[in-house]
Amino acid sequence: MEQETEQLETYFGLPAHVEFCSQCVMSNQRPLAKRSEFNHNSESKTRTIRFENGICSACQYNEKKRDNIDWTQREKELREVCEKYRKDDGSYDCIVSGSGGKDSTMVSHILKYKYNMHPLTVTWAPHMYTEIGWRNFQSWIDSGFDNILVHPNGKVHKLLTKLAFQNLLHPFQPFIFGQKNLAPKMAVQFDIPLIFYGEPGIEYGDPAKDNSGRTRDPMYHTGSDHMNLQLGGIPVKDLIEKHGLHYNDLKAFLPVDPDIYAQKKIQVHYLGYYIRWDPQEAYYYAAENTGFQANTERTEGSYSKYSSIDDKADPFHYFTTLIKFGIGRATYDAAQEVRNKKITREEAVALVKKFDNEFPKKYFTEFLDYINMTEEQFWKTVDKFRSPHLWKKEDEQWKMRHVVYDNVPQTPSV
Ligand SMILES: [Zn+2]
C-alpha cells in the first residue's frame, strides 16, 4: 500500500510517505510555522515536522523538557529579564499578547502578580466572537489588566478571510497576521520593548531561534516592501489595484518594519521557555485566578472544552488542516496530551478515531455568511485541496488513505 502511495501526487510539497509518530499521534504531514506568512501563496511549499527513528520532534523536545531542563535556572533567567525591564513607577513595562484564553490569562497574571511586572495586554479580535470567548475576555480584563482590543475593518477582514479560503484553504490566516503582528506594532507605538507570549512553537515541533524557544525570531513578525507582501495569497499591490482596497485598509494586517523594530530593541519572549508549560495546568490556573470558564460542550472535531474556544471560525481552521494535511483538531489535542502525560497513546488513538473527522456544523451557516459563499462553493473549494496521496474517492465519498487508528504499533510506547 505504501509503494502505491509513493507514486501518488502530493500537494503543498508534503512528504509522499505518510508516517505517524510512535509516541504521540501526530503525522509527518504536520506543517511548521511559516517563516513569513506574508509570502504564502498557492505555489508555496510547506515545511513539515521532523521525524527521527519514528518519533516526531515535538515528542523529542517534550522528553528533554521533562528530563533535562533545569527549571530553577530558567526561573532565575526570568527574574533577570523582569529586573532589567521593570518600571518602578508602575507604567507599562511589557506587553502580553492574547485573547483572554487560558494561556494569555495565565501569562499576564503570573507576570503581574508573581513577578511584579506591569503588563499592557493587547488583543486582536477573533473573526466572530463566541459568547463564552467574549465572557472570558471580559473576566480577564476584570482580573486587573488594561487592554487594547483591535477590531480590523469588518468588510476587509471578511474579504481577506474569503480570499485566504479560496486561494490557500486557510481561512484563519487573517487572524494569524493579527495575532503575530499586533503586539510588535504596539511595542513600537508605545515604546514598550518587551513582549510575552505563552507557549513556544518548539513545544509542537516548530523550529526555534537558538534551538531554545526563548525568543521568537523577528522574521516571523517584521517585513518591509509592503506592496509585494501577500494577504490571502495575493500581493498587496494587486489587492489595491484589483479589489478596490486602499493601502490604509490593509495596514492593520501588515507587519512592522524590521529596521524600526531593531532600532527600538524589541524582543518577543515565550513564558513557556522560563516555566514548565502544561496546557491543562494553564487552564486550572486561569480558572482559579481570573474566573476563566471552559465551554459547557466539547469543541466539534475534538473532545476538549477549554482550548481556542473564542472564535466561531476556529473549527473551520482545524477542518481545513484535516483536508490539507490529514490532521484534525482531535489529533492536535490528543498529541499534546500524550506528550504531557495526561492520556496514553492508546487513548489518543481512540479519541482521534472518534472525533477527528467530525465536521463543524454548529457555526457552518454563520461561517458561510461571513465568507459570502454558498455551501456548494464551499465544498468545491475544499475538494480542490485534497492531496491525492492523502485522499481517495470511493462510492462518491472521500476517504483518507492513512489514519493513525490503522497504524497502532505492536508494542505500546507510552
Ligand atoms: Zn510525537
Side-chain angles (χ1 to χ4, degrees):
M1 191 175 88
E2 277 167 13
Q3 271 178 347
E4 178 202 315
T5 308
E6 305 270 348
Q7 293 158 9
L8 293 166
E9 191 188 354
T10 67
Y11 291 177
F12 331 116
L14 294 173
H17 171 71
V18 179
E19 186 179 355
F20 293 90
C21 174
S22 64
Q23 292 201 356
C24 67
V25 284
M26 192 44 75
S27 91
N28 66 341
Q29 309 288 303
R30 183 196 179 275
L32 299 180
K34 294 227 161 3
R35 288 193 183 92
S36 173
E37 190 61 44
F38 296 102
N39 296 327
H40 188 176
N41 61 33
S42 56
E43 305 295 312
S44 301
K45 298 286 176 233
T46 300
R47 297 177 303 150
T48 47
I49 191 166
R50 198 170 42 78
F51 269 53
E52 219 171 88
N53 302 322
I55 301 173
C56 77
S57 60
C59 284
Q60 288 165 28
Y61 172 79
N62 275 265
E63 284 297 317
K64 182 176 144 203
K65 179 174 77 168
R66 270 190 294 270
D67 302 336
N68 296 328
I69 292 173
D70 179 349
W71 291 106
T72 312
Q73 173 58 29
R74 287 280 175 97
E75 204 219 350
K76 205 177 137 218
E77 286 178 46
L78 175 60
R79 287 188 186 279
E80 283 164 12
V81 172
C82 291
E83 283 302 318
K84 185 174 164 195
Y85 288 93
R86 189 182 296 108
K87 295 262 182 69
D88 293 328
D89 65 358
S91 57
Y92 302 132
D93 42 30
C94 62
I95 288 181
V96 173
S97 171
S99 63
K102 63 181 176 31
D103 297 345
S104 46
T105 293
M106 183 173 108
V107 171
S108 55
H109 199 275
I110 283 187
L111 287 170
K112 178 162 179 169
Y113 294 106
K114 185 168 180 191
Y115 297 100
N116 209 14
M117 297 295 281
H118 310 94
L120 169 65
T121 65
V122 302
T123 304
W124 177 265
H127 296 82
M128 295 176 276
Y129 263 112
T130 59
E131 200 191 313
I132 183 86
W134 181 248
R135 231 174 27 234
N136 281 328
F137 173 71
Q138 296 287 334
S139 306
W140 180 35
I141 306 312
D142 289 348
S143 71
F145 298 97
D146 290 348
N147 176 270
I148 294 176
L149 171 62
V150 174
H151 261 286
N153 174 336
K155 224 167 151 178
V156 179
H157 203 186
K158 287 179 186 180
L159 174 64
L160 292 180
T161 306
K162 178 176 188 157
L163 292 172
F165 183 78
Q166 282 176 325
N167 297 330
L168 313 169
L169 202 70
H170 191 13
F172 219 52
Q173 194 198 34
F175 178 79
I176 292 174
F177 289 138
Q179 196 254 354
K180 279 205 173 135
N181 294 291
L182 177 65
K185 284 154 81 173
M186 290 291 162
V188 167
Q189 194 168 337
F190 292 97
D191 251 319
I192 307 169
L194 179 64
I195 301 169
F196 278 101
Y197 283 74
E199 280 178 301
I202 196 172
E203 294 261 348
Y204 296 97
D206 284 325
K209 200 180 171 194
D210 312 327
N211 254 340
S212 75
R214 181 171 183 257
T215 57
R216 187 167 71 198
D217 195 311
M219 75 176 154
Y220 287 98
H221 53 261
T222 59
S224 49
D225 189 15
H226 281 185
M227 285 300 155
N228 286 312
L229 299 183
Q230 301 179 53
L231 305 173
I234 299 179
V236 167
K237 61 176 189 293
D238 291 349
L239 287 168
I240 294 169
E241 276 171 29
K242 295 174 191 163
H243 290 268
L245 295 168
H246 192 276
Y247 174 63
N248 285 325
D249 294 331
L250 300 169
K251 255 170 124 176
F253 298 87
L254 292 166
V256 69
D257 184 273
D259 294 335
I260 299 172
Y261 185 86
Q263 266 167 30
K264 298 254 184 188
K265 297 190 169 68
I266 296 163
Q267 296 194 352
V268 172
H269 289 241
Y270 290 105
L271 195 67
Y273 165 87
Y274 299 104
I275 61 172
R276 187 171 158 155
W277 196 268
D278 181 327
Q280 193 173 314
E281 296 305 321
Y283 163 60
Y284 291 144
Y285 183 97
E288 199 172 305
N289 291 287
T290 71
F292 175 87
Q293 289 180 338
N295 219 337
T296 49
E297 53 191 13
R298 65 173 180 82
T299 301
E300 289 170 299
S302 189
Y303 56 94
S304 62
K305 290 184 171 179
Y306 54 71
S307 303
S308 300
I309 51 173
D310 55 14
D311 194 341
K312 292 178 181 176
D314 196 79
F316 296 94
H317 170 58
Y318 289 99
F319 173 69
T320 58
T321 63
L322 179 74
I323 299 300
K324 289 187 290 186
F325 313 116
I327 303 170
R329 177 131 182 199
T331 298
Y332 283 100
D333 286 342
Q336 175 273 110
E337 292 205 334
V338 172
R339 288 178 207 129
N340 283 299
K341 307 272 191 210
K342 307 298 180 202
I343 57 175
T344 64
R345 187 176 192 275
E346 286 66 33
E347 287 166 323
V349 168
L351 289 164
V352 171
K353 185 175 183 178
K354 193 163 179 191
F355 297 115
D356 223 33
N357 278 288
E358 182 184 37
F359 182 73
K361 290 189 294 287
K362 193 174 172 188
Y363 300 119
F364 189 34
T365 309
E366 280 173 82
F367 182 70
L368 288 174
D369 282 350
Y370 189 88
I371 58 173
N372 191 24
M373 269 189 169
T374 63
E375 201 174 331
E376 200 192 337
Q377 289 168 328
F378 174 91
W379 286 110
K380 247 189 183 158
T381 306
V382 165
D383 289 347
K384 280 196 265 177
F385 289 85
R386 294 182 198 264
S387 184
H389 81 300
L390 295 176
W391 293 93
K392 61 180 168 186
K393 209 170 192 181
E394 270 180 12
D395 307 325
E396 291 305 299
Q397 296 265 337
W398 285 106
K399 292 220 167 98
M400 287 172 77
R401 292 177 188 275
H402 303 277
V403 282
V404 70
Y405 32 94
D406 283 338
N407 289 274
V408 179
Q410 282 156 0
T411 45
S413 53
V414 179

